[in-house]
Amino acid sequence: MTISTQFKAAAAASVLAMGGFAIAASGPALAHNHKEKPAQAQANIVQTAIGTGMHETLVAAVQAADLVDTLSSPGPFTVFAPTDTAFSALPDGTVSTLLEPANKGQLQNILTYHVVAGRIPAAQLSAAIKTNGGSYTFETVAGAELTASFAGENIVITDGAGGTSTVTMADVKTTNGVIHVTDGVFLPG
């Protein structure tokens, strides 16, 4: 089974596991717009990340992990996208070590830990935090959990290692999902 097939299977399983949260996030377009000309196509997740100028490390990692085709597929996906500055805050040598072919599996695991099946806008994530008493735990495509909470008005994500990252830009729309830019890299426990 190729990684793309595994990733799609994991995404489907994640959607099922998330129940109504993921289903509500991927509702159909409204029927009253069916006669309008389609808007100019937006870029997909990978194309958008390439165009930001602040996700070069993330794009290089996605390429090294052979996840470009998957993250360019219809999805939808929600990606928590660490900036280049976030990657540079990791211990020296971490990124270059992860980009080595021998570490492809570990890199795939870390990258898919930043992906959730379904299109989950910040308003929906905020509502889930409020509904669940101030924090909301959800499963990533990697099969591990992240927890979202608030720090003031900001959404903060806590990873399995106990690290926290702030969503610095939310709701970057793409054709196959949404990107939330983060100031940190998530690490599984």
Side-chain angles (χ1 to χ4, degrees):
M1 181 180 277
T2 66
I3 187 63
S4 181
T5 304
Q6 291 171 342
F7 191 69
K8 288 176 186 176
S14 181
V15 168
L16 292 174
M18 291 176 62
F21 186 70
I23 292 168
S26 60
L30 297 176
H32 72 275
N33 291 327
H34 72 280
K35 291 185 180 180
E36 293 180 17
K37 290 184 179 180
Q40 184 174 356
Q42 293 175 303
N44 65 38
I45 289 169
V46 175
Q47 293 165 331
T48 300
I50 289 170
T52 67
M54 63 180 164
H55 290 104
E56 292 177 17
T57 306
L58 178 61
V59 170
V62 167
Q63 291 168 338
D66 288 332
L67 293 174
V68 172
D69 288 343
T70 301
L71 291 175
S72 298
S73 72
F77 303 108
T78 298
V79 175
F80 293 90
T83 62
D84 293 334
T85 304
F87 278 104
S88 68
L90 293 172
D92 287 342
T94 301
V95 173
S96 59
T97 299
L98 286 171
L99 293 175
E100 293 174 4
N103 297 319
K104 183 176 171 180
Q106 183 180 8
L107 181 59
Q108 288 171 340
N109 187 48
I110 290 171
L111 292 175
T112 58
Y113 190 45
H114 290 75
V115 180
V116 178
R119 186 182 307 262
I120 306 167
Q124 187 174 354
L125 188 54
S126 294
I129 294 168
K130 290 174 187 173
T131 300
N132 288 284
S135 69
Y136 178 69
T137 300
F138 54 96
E139 189 173 346
T140 67
V141 172
E145 294 181 338
L146 294 170
T147 301
S149 59
F150 292 115
E153 295 182 14
N154 297 317
I155 294 175
V156 175
I157 307 296
T158 303
D159 64 24
T164 58
S165 301
T166 301
V167 174
T168 59
M169 182 184 301
D171 296 331
V172 178
K173 292 178 175 76
T174 69
T175 58
N176 62 337
V178 62
I179 297 172
H180 301 304
V181 178
T182 65
D183 67 356
V185 177
F186 306 155
L187 300 173

